[in-house]
Coordinates of all heavy atoms in Angstrom, one line a residue:
M1 N 81.5 136.6 98.0 CA 81.4 135.8 99.1 C 82.8 135.4 99.6 O 83.6 134.9 98.9 CB 80.6 134.5 98.7 CG 80.4 133.5 99.7 SD 79.5 131.9 99.3 CE 78.8 132.3 97.7
G2 N 83.0 135.5 100.9 CA 84.3 135.3 101.5 C 84.5 133.9 102.0 O 83.5 133.1 101.9
T3 N 85.6 133.5 102.4 CA 85.8 132.1 102.9 C 85.2 131.9 104.3 O 84.9 133.0 105.0 CB 87.4 131.8 102.9 OG1 87.9 132.7 103.9 CG2 88.0 131.9 101.6
R4 N 84.9 130.7 104.6 CA 84.2 130.5 105.9 C 84.6 129.0 106.3 O 84.7 128.1 105.5 CB 82.8 130.5 105.6 CG 81.9 130.4 106.9 CD 80.4 130.6 106.6 NE 79.7 130.8 107.8 CZ 78.6 130.2 108.0 NH1 78.0 129.3 107.1 NH2 77.9 130.3 109.1
D5 N 84.8 128.8 107.6 CA 85.1 127.5 108.2 C 84.6 127.5 109.6 O 85.1 128.0 110.5 CB 86.7 127.3 108.2 CG 87.0 125.9 108.6 OD1 86.1 125.0 108.9 OD2 88.2 125.5 108.7
V6 N 83.3 126.9 109.7 CA 82.6 126.8 110.9 C 82.3 125.4 111.3 O 82.2 124.5 110.4 CB 81.3 127.6 110.9 CG1 81.4 128.9 111.7 CG2 80.7 127.7 109.6
E7 N 82.2 125.1 112.6 CA 81.8 123.8 113.0 C 80.7 124.0 114.1 O 80.9 124.8 115.0 CB 83.0 123.1 113.7 CG 82.7 121.7 114.1 CD 84.0 121.0 114.6 OE1 85.0 121.1 114.0 OE2 83.9 120.2 115.6
M8 N 79.6 123.3 114.0 CA 78.5 123.5 114.9 C 78.2 122.2 115.7 O 78.3 121.1 115.1 CB 77.2 123.8 114.2 CG 77.2 125.2 113.5 SD 77.2 126.5 114.7 CE 75.8 126.2 115.6
D9 N 77.9 122.3 116.9 CA 77.5 121.1 117.7 C 76.0 121.1 117.8 O 75.4 122.0 117.9 CB 78.1 121.2 119.1 CG 79.6 121.0 119.1 OD1 80.2 120.3 118.4 OD2 80.2 121.7 120.0
Y10 N 75.4 119.8 117.7 CA 74.0 119.7 117.8 C 73.7 118.6 118.8 O 74.5 117.7 119.1 CB 73.4 119.2 116.4 CG 73.6 120.3 115.3 CD1 74.7 120.3 114.4 CD2 72.7 121.3 115.3 CE1 74.7 121.3 113.5 CE2 72.8 122.3 114.3 CZ 73.8 122.3 113.4 OH 73.9 123.2 112.5
T11 N 72.5 118.6 119.3 CA 72.0 117.5 120.1 C 71.8 116.3 119.2 O 71.7 116.4 118.0 CB 70.7 117.8 120.8 OG1 69.6 117.9 119.8 CG2 70.7 119.1 121.7
V12 N 71.7 115.1 119.9 CA 71.4 113.9 119.1 C 70.2 114.0 118.3 O 70.2 113.7 117.1 CB 71.4 112.6 120.0 CG1 71.0 111.4 119.2 CG2 72.8 112.4 120.6
G13 N 69.1 114.5 118.9 CA 67.8 114.7 118.2 C 68.0 115.6 116.9 O 67.4 115.4 115.9
E14 N 68.6 116.8 117.2 CA 68.7 117.7 116.1 C 69.6 117.1 114.9 O 69.2 117.4 113.8 CB 69.5 119.0 116.6 CG 68.7 119.8 117.5 CD 69.5 120.9 118.2 OE1 70.7 120.7 118.4 OE2 68.9 121.9 118.6
F15 N 70.7 116.5 115.3 CA 71.6 115.9 114.2 C 70.8 114.8 113.5 O 70.9 114.7 112.2 CB 72.8 115.3 114.9 CG 73.8 114.8 113.9 CD1 74.5 115.7 113.0 CD2 74.1 113.4 113.9 CE1 75.4 115.2 112.2 CE2 75.1 113.0 113.0 CZ 75.7 113.8 112.2
A16 N 70.0 113.9 114.2 CA 69.3 112.9 113.5 C 68.2 113.4 112.6 O 68.1 112.9 111.5 CB 68.6 112.0 114.6
A17 N 67.6 114.5 113.0 CA 66.6 115.1 112.2 C 67.2 115.7 110.9 O 66.7 115.6 109.8 CB 65.8 116.3 112.9
K18 N 68.4 116.4 111.0 CA 69.0 116.9 109.8 C 69.5 115.7 108.9 O 69.3 115.9 107.7 CB 70.3 117.7 110.2 CG 69.9 119.1 110.8 CD 71.1 119.9 111.1 CE 70.8 121.3 111.6 NZ 70.1 122.2 110.7
L19 N 70.0 114.7 109.4 CA 70.4 113.5 108.6 C 69.2 112.9 107.9 O 69.4 112.5 106.7 CB 71.1 112.5 109.5 CG 72.5 112.8 109.9 CD1 73.0 111.7 110.8 CD2 73.4 113.0 108.7
R20 N 68.1 112.8 108.6 CA 66.9 112.3 107.9 C 66.4 113.1 106.7 O 66.2 112.6 105.6 CB 65.8 112.2 108.9 CG 65.8 111.0 109.8 CD 64.6 110.8 110.7 NE 64.9 109.9 111.8 CZ 65.2 110.3 113.0 NH1 65.2 111.5 113.3 NH2 65.5 109.4 113.9
R21 N 66.4 114.5 106.9 CA 66.0 115.3 105.8 C 67.0 115.3 104.7 O 66.6 115.3 103.6 CB 65.7 116.7 106.4 CG 64.5 116.8 107.3 CD 64.1 118.2 107.7 NE 65.2 119.0 108.3 CZ 65.4 119.2 109.5 NH1 64.6 118.5 110.4 NH2 66.4 119.9 110.0
L22 N 68.3 115.3 105.0 CA 69.3 115.2 104.1 C 69.2 113.9 103.3 O 69.2 113.9 102.1 CB 70.7 115.2 104.7 CG 71.9 114.9 103.9 CD1 72.0 115.9 102.7 CD2 73.1 115.0 104.7
A23 N 69.0 112.8 104.0 CA 68.9 111.5 103.2 C 67.7 111.4 102.3 O 67.7 111.0 101.2 CB 68.7 110.3 104.3
D24 N 66.5 112.0 102.7 CA 65.4 112.1 101.9 C 65.6 113.0 100.6 O 65.3 112.6 99.5 CB 64.2 112.7 102.6 CG 63.6 111.8 103.7 OD1 63.9 110.6 103.7 OD2 62.8 112.3 104.6
A25 N 66.3 114.1 100.8 CA 66.7 114.9 99.6 C 67.6 114.2 98.7 O 67.4 114.2 97.5 CB 67.3 116.2 100.1
L26 N 68.6 113.5 99.2 CA 69.6 112.8 98.4 C 68.9 111.6 97.6 O 69.1 111.5 96.4 CB 70.7 112.2 99.3 CG 71.6 113.2 99.8 CD1 72.6 112.5 100.8 CD2 72.5 113.9 98.8
E27 N 68.0 110.9 98.3 CA 67.4 109.8 97.7 C 66.4 110.2 96.6 O 66.2 109.6 95.6 CB 66.6 108.9 98.7 CG 67.5 108.0 99.4 CD 66.8 107.1 100.4 OE1 65.7 107.5 100.9 OE2 67.4 106.1 100.8
S28 N 65.8 111.4 96.8 CA 64.9 111.9 95.8 C 65.6 112.7 94.6 O 64.9 113.1 93.7 CB 63.8 112.8 96.4 OG 64.4 113.9 96.9
G29 N 66.9 112.8 94.8 CA 67.6 113.5 93.7 C 67.3 115.0 93.6 O 67.5 115.6 92.6
K30 N 67.1 115.6 94.7 CA 66.8 117.0 94.8 C 67.9 117.8 95.5 O 68.6 117.3 96.4 CB 65.4 117.3 95.6 CG 64.2 116.8 94.9 CD 63.0 117.1 95.8 CE 61.8 116.5 95.1 NZ 60.6 116.7 96.0
A31 N 68.0 119.0 95.1 CA 68.9 119.9 95.8 C 68.3 120.3 97.1 O 67.0 120.1 97.3 CB 69.1 121.2 95.0
F32 N 69.0 120.7 98.1 CA 68.4 121.0 99.4 C 69.1 122.3 100.0 O 70.3 122.5 99.6 CB 68.4 119.8 100.3 CG 69.7 119.3 100.6 CD1 70.5 119.7 101.7 CD2 70.3 118.3 99.8 CE1 71.7 119.2 101.9 CE2 71.5 117.7 100.0 CZ 72.2 118.2 101.1
R33 N 68.4 122.9 100.8 CA 69.0 124.0 101.6 C 69.3 123.7 103.0 O 68.5 123.0 103.6 CB 68.1 125.3 101.4 CG 68.0 125.8 100.0 CD 67.2 127.0 99.9 NE 67.6 128.2 100.7 CZ 68.6 129.0 100.5 NH1 69.4 128.8 99.4 NH2 68.8 130.1 101.2
V34 N 70.4 124.2 103.5 CA 70.8 123.9 104.9 C 71.3 125.2 105.5 O 71.8 126.1 104.8 CB 71.9 122.8 105.0 CG1 73.1 123.2 104.3 CG2 72.1 122.4 106.4
Q35 N 71.0 125.3 106.8 CA 71.5 126.5 107.5 C 72.5 126.0 108.5 O 72.2 125.1 109.3 CB 70.4 127.3 108.2 CG 70.9 128.5 108.9 CD 69.6 129.3 109.4 OE1 68.6 129.4 108.8 NE2 69.8 130.0 110.4
V36 N 73.7 126.7 108.6 CA 74.7 126.4 109.5 C 75.2 127.7 110.1 O 75.6 128.6 109.3 CB 75.9 125.6 108.9 CG1 77.1 125.4 109.9 CG2 75.5 124.3 108.3
A37 N 75.2 127.9 111.4 CA 75.7 129.1 112.0 C 75.1 130.4 111.4 O 75.8 131.3 111.2 CB 77.2 129.2 112.1
G38 N 73.7 130.3 111.2 CA 73.0 131.5 110.7 C 73.1 131.8 109.2 O 72.5 132.7 108.7
E39 N 73.9 131.0 108.4 CA 74.0 131.2 107.0 C 73.2 130.0 106.3 O 73.6 128.8 106.6 CB 75.5 131.2 106.5 CG 75.6 131.5 105.0 CD 77.0 131.8 104.7 OE1 77.8 132.4 105.5 OE2 77.4 131.4 103.6
R40 N 72.4 130.4 105.4 CA 71.6 129.4 104.6 C 72.2 129.2 103.2 O 72.6 130.3 102.6 CB 70.1 129.8 104.5 CG 69.3 128.7 103.9 CD 67.9 129.1 103.9 NE 67.3 129.2 105.3 CZ 66.9 128.2 106.0 NH1 66.8 126.9 105.5 NH2 66.4 128.3 107.3
F41 N 72.4 128.0 102.7 CA 73.0 127.9 101.4 C 72.4 126.6 100.8 O 71.8 125.8 101.4 CB 74.5 127.7 101.5 CG 75.0 126.7 102.5 CD1 75.2 125.4 102.1 CD2 75.2 127.0 103.8 CE1 75.7 124.4 103.0 CE2 75.6 126.1 104.7 CZ 75.9 124.8 104.3
T42 N 72.6 126.5 99.4 CA 72.0 125.3 98.7 C 73.1 124.3 98.3 O 74.2 124.7 97.8 CB 71.4 125.8 97.4 OG1 70.4 126.7 97.7 CG2 70.8 124.7 96.5
V43 N 72.8 123.1 98.6 CA 73.7 122.0 98.2 C 73.1 121.3 97.0 O 72.0 120.9 97.0 CB 73.8 120.9 99.3 CG1 74.7 119.7 98.9 CG2 74.4 121.5 100.6
P44 N 73.8 121.3 95.8 CA 73.2 120.8 94.6 C 73.0 119.3 94.7 O 73.7 118.7 95.4 CB 74.2 121.2 93.5 CG 75.5 121.4 94.2 CD 75.1 121.9 95.6
R45 N 72.1 118.8 93.9 CA 71.6 117.4 93.9 C 72.8 116.5 93.5 O 72.9 115.3 93.9 CB 70.5 117.2 93.1 CG 70.6 117.4 91.6 CD 69.3 117.2 90.8 NE 69.5 117.7 89.5 CZ 69.2 118.8 89.0 NH1 68.8 119.8 89.9 NH2 69.4 119.2 87.8
H46 N 73.8 117.0 92.7 CA 74.9 116.2 92.3 C 76.2 116.5 93.1 O 77.3 116.2 92.5 CB 75.1 116.3 90.8 CG 75.2 117.7 90.4 ND1 74.1 118.5 90.2 CD2 76.3 118.4 90.1 CE1 74.6 119.7 89.7 NE2 75.9 119.7 89.7
A47 N 76.1 116.9 94.3 CA 77.3 117.2 95.1 C 78.0 115.8 95.3 O 77.4 114.8 95.4 CB 76.9 117.7 96.5
R48 N 79.3 115.9 95.5 CA 80.1 114.7 95.7 C 80.0 114.4 97.2 O 80.2 115.3 98.1 CB 81.6 115.0 95.3 CG 82.5 113.7 95.4 CD 83.8 113.9 94.8 NE 84.6 114.9 95.5 CZ 85.4 114.6 96.6 NH1 85.6 113.4 97.0 NH2 86.1 115.6 97.2
I49 N 79.8 113.1 97.5 CA 79.6 112.7 98.9 C 80.8 111.8 99.3 O 81.1 110.9 98.6 CB 78.2 112.0 99.1 CG1 77.1 112.8 98.6 CG2 78.1 111.5 100.5 CD1 75.8 112.1 98.4
S50 N 81.3 112.1 100.5 CA 82.4 111.2 101.0 C 82.3 111.1 102.5 O 81.6 111.9 103.2 CB 83.8 111.7 100.6 OG 84.0 113.0 101.2
V51 N 82.9 110.1 103.0 CA 83.0 109.9 104.5 C 84.5 109.9 104.9 O 85.3 109.1 104.2 CB 82.4 108.6 104.9 CG1 82.5 108.4 106.5 CG2 80.9 108.6 104.6
E52 N 84.9 110.7 105.8 CA 86.4 110.7 106.2 C 86.5 110.3 107.6 O 85.7 110.5 108.5 CB 86.8 112.2 106.1 CG 88.2 112.4 106.5 CD 88.6 113.9 106.3 OE1 88.1 114.6 105.4 OE2 89.4 114.4 107.1
H53 N 87.5 109.4 107.8 CA 87.8 109.0 109.2 C 89.2 109.3 109.6 O 90.1 109.0 108.7 CB 87.7 107.4 109.2 CG 88.0 106.8 110.5 ND1 89.0 105.9 110.7 CD2 87.5 106.9 111.8 CE1 89.1 105.6 112.0 NE2 88.2 106.2 112.6
E54 N 89.4 109.8 110.8 CA 90.7 110.1 111.2 C 90.9 109.6 112.7 O 89.9 109.5 113.4 CB 90.8 111.7 111.4 CG 90.7 112.5 110.1 CD 90.8 114.0 110.2 OE1 91.4 114.4 111.2 OE2 90.2 114.7 109.4
R55 N 92.1 109.1 112.9 CA 92.4 108.6 114.2 C 93.7 109.2 114.7 O 94.7 109.2 114.0 CB 92.6 107.0 114.1 CG 93.0 106.4 115.5 CD 93.1 104.9 115.4 NE 91.8 104.3 115.0 CZ 91.7 103.4 114.0 NH1 92.8 103.0 113.3 NH2 90.5 102.9 113.6
G56 N 93.6 109.7 116.0 CA 94.8 110.2 116.6 C 95.2 109.4 117.8 O 94.7 108.3 118.0
E57 N 96.1 109.9 118.5 CA 96.6 109.2 119.8 C 95.5 109.1 120.8 O 95.4 108.1 121.5 CB 97.8 109.9 120.4 CG 99.0 109.8 119.5 CD 99.5 108.4 119.4 OE1 99.5 107.6 120.4 OE2 100.0 108.0 118.3
T58 N 94.6 110.1 120.9 CA 93.6 110.2 122.0 C 92.1 110.2 121.5 O 91.2 110.2 122.3 CB 93.9 111.3 122.9 OG1 93.8 112.5 122.1 CG2 95.3 111.2 123.5
E59 N 91.9 110.4 120.2 CA 90.5 110.5 119.8 C 90.4 110.1 118.3 O 91.4 110.0 117.6 CB 90.0 111.9 119.9 CG 90.6 112.9 119.1 CD 90.2 114.4 119.4 OE1 89.4 114.6 120.4 OE2 90.5 115.2 118.6
E60 N 89.1 109.8 117.9 CA 88.8 109.5 116.6 C 87.7 110.4 116.0 O 87.0 111.0 116.9 CB 88.3 108.0 116.4 CG 89.4 107.0 116.6 CD 88.9 105.6 116.3 OE1 88.6 105.3 115.1 OE2 88.7 104.8 117.2
E61 N 87.7 110.6 114.7 CA 86.7 111.5 114.1 C 86.2 110.9 112.9 O 86.9 110.3 112.0 CB 87.4 112.8 113.9 CG 86.5 113.9 113.2 CD 87.3 115.2 113.0 OE1 88.2 115.5 113.9 OE2 86.9 115.9 112.1
V62 N 84.9 111.1 112.6 CA 84.3 110.7 111.3 C 83.6 112.0 110.8 O 82.8 112.6 111.6 CB 83.4 109.5 111.4 CG1 82.2 109.7 112.3 CG2 83.0 109.0 110.0
E63 N 83.8 112.3 109.5 CA 83.1 113.4 108.9 C 82.3 112.9 107.6 O 82.9 112.2 106.8 CB 84.0 114.5 108.5 CG 84.8 115.1 109.6 CD 85.8 116.2 109.2 OE1 85.8 116.5 107.9 OE2 86.6 116.6 110.0
F64 N 81.0 113.4 107.6 CA 80.3 113.2 106.4 C 80.4 114.4 105.6 O 79.9 115.5 106.1 CB 78.8 112.8 106.7 CG 78.7 111.6 107.6 CD1 78.8 111.6 108.9 CD2 78.5 110.4 106.9 CE1 78.7 110.5 109.7 CE2 78.4 109.2 107.7 CZ 78.5 109.2 109.1
Q65 N 80.9 114.4 104.4 CA 81.2 115.6 103.6 C 80.4 115.6 102.3 O 80.3 114.5 101.7 CB 82.7 115.7 103.2 CG 83.6 115.8 104.5 CD 85.0 115.9 104.1 OE1 85.4 115.6 103.0 NE2 85.8 116.4 105.1
L66 N 80.0 116.8 101.9 CA 79.4 117.0 100.6 C 80.1 118.1 100.0 O 80.3 119.1 100.6 CB 77.9 117.4 100.7 CG 77.0 116.2 101.3 CD1 76.7 116.4 102.7 CD2 75.8 116.1 100.5
K67 N 80.6 118.0 98.8 CA 81.4 119.0 98.1 C 80.8 119.3 96.8 O 80.4 118.4 96.1 CB 82.9 118.6 98.0 CG 83.6 118.4 99.3 CD 85.1 118.1 99.1 CE 85.8 117.9 100.4 NZ 87.2 117.6 100.2
W68 N 80.9 120.5 96.3 CA 80.4 121.0 95.0 C 81.1 122.3 94.6 O 81.6 122.9 95.5 CB 78.9 121.1 95.0 CG 78.4 122.2 96.0 CD1 78.2 123.5 95.6 CD2 78.2 122.1 97.4 NE1 77.8 124.2 96.8 CE2 77.8 123.3 97.8 CE3 78.3 121.0 98.3 CZ2 77.5 123.6 99.2 CZ3 78.0 121.3 99.6 CH2 77.6 122.6 100.0
S69 N 81.0 122.6 93.4 CA 81.6 123.9 92.9 C 80.5 124.9 93.1 O 79.3 124.6 93.0 CB 82.0 123.8 91.4 OG 80.9 124.1 90.6
L70 N 80.9 126.1 93.4 CA 79.9 127.2 93.6 C 79.1 127.4 92.4 O 77.9 127.8 92.4 CB 80.7 128.5 94.0 CG 81.3 128.4 95.4 CD1 82.1 129.6 95.7 CD2 80.3 128.1 96.5
A71 N 79.7 127.3 91.2 CA 78.9 127.4 89.9 C 77.8 126.5 89.9 O 76.7 126.7 89.4 CB 79.9 127.3 88.7
D72 N 78.0 125.2 90.3 CA 76.9 124.1 90.3 C 75.8 124.6 91.2 O 74.6 124.3 90.8 CB 77.5 122.8 90.8 CG 78.4 122.2 89.8 OD1 78.4 122.7 88.6 OD2 79.2 121.3 90.1
A73 N 76.1 125.1 92.4 CA 75.0 125.5 93.3 C 74.2 126.7 92.7 O 73.0 126.7 92.9 CB 75.6 125.9 94.6
D74 N 74.8 127.6 92.0 CA 74.1 128.7 91.4 C 73.2 128.2 90.4 O 72.2 129.0 90.0 CB 75.1 129.7 90.8 CG 75.9 130.4 91.9 OD1 75.4 130.4 93.1 OD2 77.0 131.0 91.6
Q75 N 73.4 127.1 89.7 CA 72.6 126.6 88.5 C 71.3 125.8 89.0 O 70.6 125.4 88.2 CB 73.4 125.9 87.6 CG 74.5 126.7 86.9 CD 75.4 125.9 86.1 OE1 75.1 124.7 85.8 NE2 76.5 126.4 85.7
E76 N 71.2 125.5 90.3 CA 70.1 124.6 90.8 C 68.8 125.4 90.7 O 68.7 126.6 91.0 CB 70.4 124.2 92.2 CG 71.4 123.2 92.4 CD 71.0 121.9 91.8 OE1 69.8 121.5 91.7 OE2 71.9 121.1 91.4
P77 N 67.7 124.7 90.3 CA 66.4 125.4 90.1 C 65.9 125.6 91.5 O 66.2 124.9 92.5 CB 65.6 124.3 89.4 CG 66.3 123.0 89.6 CD 67.8 123.3 89.8
E78 N 64.9 126.5 91.6 CA 64.2 126.7 92.9 C 63.3 125.4 93.2 O 63.1 124.6 92.3 CB 63.2 127.9 92.7 CG 64.0 129.2 92.6 CD 64.9 129.5 93.8 OE1 64.4 129.3 94.9 OE2 66.1 130.0 93.5
G79 N 62.8 125.4 94.4 CA 62.0 124.2 94.8 C 62.8 123.2 95.4 O 62.4 122.0 95.5
D80 N 63.9 123.5 96.0 CA 64.7 122.5 96.6 C 64.2 122.2 98.0 O 63.2 122.8 98.4 CB 66.2 123.0 96.7 CG 66.3 124.4 97.3 OD1 65.3 125.0 97.7 OD2 67.4 125.0 97.2
T81 N 64.7 121.3 98.7 CA 64.2 120.8 100.0 C 65.0 121.4 101.1 O 66.2 121.4 101.1 CB 64.4 119.2 100.1 OG1 63.7 118.7 99.0 CG2 63.9 118.7 101.4
A82 N 64.4 122.1 102.0 CA 65.1 122.7 103.2 C 65.5 121.6 104.2 O 64.7 120.7 104.4 CB 64.2 123.7 103.9
V83 N 66.7 121.7 104.7 CA 67.2 120.8 105.7 C 67.5 121.6 106.9 O 68.1 122.7 106.9 CB 68.5 120.1 105.2 CG1 69.1 119.3 106.3 CG2 68.2 119.3 104.0

């Protein structure tokens, strides 16, 4: 598996729906699958969650991040929640 760095834009409705499904998976303690730019992958239930805020001269940015080791994702059982 090679490196990848993609950013996708979504409508407000699409983004809200993804966040709702993500929140449900996190609260239930389940791994979940997400698709970004045509690639589907599993986020393990114990991924590290952080919020990043950046401010520049002309704009601000907030990022909701989930990080995990690839070995952790490979060990997740089937039956995860699709996002």
Side-chain angles (χ1 to χ4, degrees):
M1 180 180 346
T3 60
R4 185 172 192 230
D5 188 1
V6 255
E7 183 175 322
M8 293 293 301
D9 291 325
Y10 294 98
T11 66
V12 171
E14 291 168 334
F15 186 67
K18 285 185 181 293
L19 285 177
R20 280 186 196 99
R21 291 190 305 268
L22 170 61
D24 289 344
L26 290 172
E27 285 183 334
S28 67
K30 295 181 181 176
F32 57 93
R33 291 185 56 77
V34 63
Q35 183 171 326
V36 177
E39 185 173 324
R40 187 173 296 273
F41 52 92
T42 298
V43 178
R45 64 182 172 268
H46 53 278
R48 186 171 66 89
I49 301 166
S50 64
V51 178
E52 181 178 324
H53 176 243
E54 297 177 27
R55 180 180 297 130
E57 292 294 321
T58 60
E59 64 183 12
E60 290 189 66
E61 179 178 330
V62 65
E63 294 180 10
F64 298 88
Q65 297 182 342
L66 295 103
K67 293 183 182 182
W68 63 94
S69 88
L70 295 176
D72 290 342
D74 290 342
Q75 295 175 12
E76 285 295 330
E78 292 299 318
D80 49 7
T81 302
V83 175

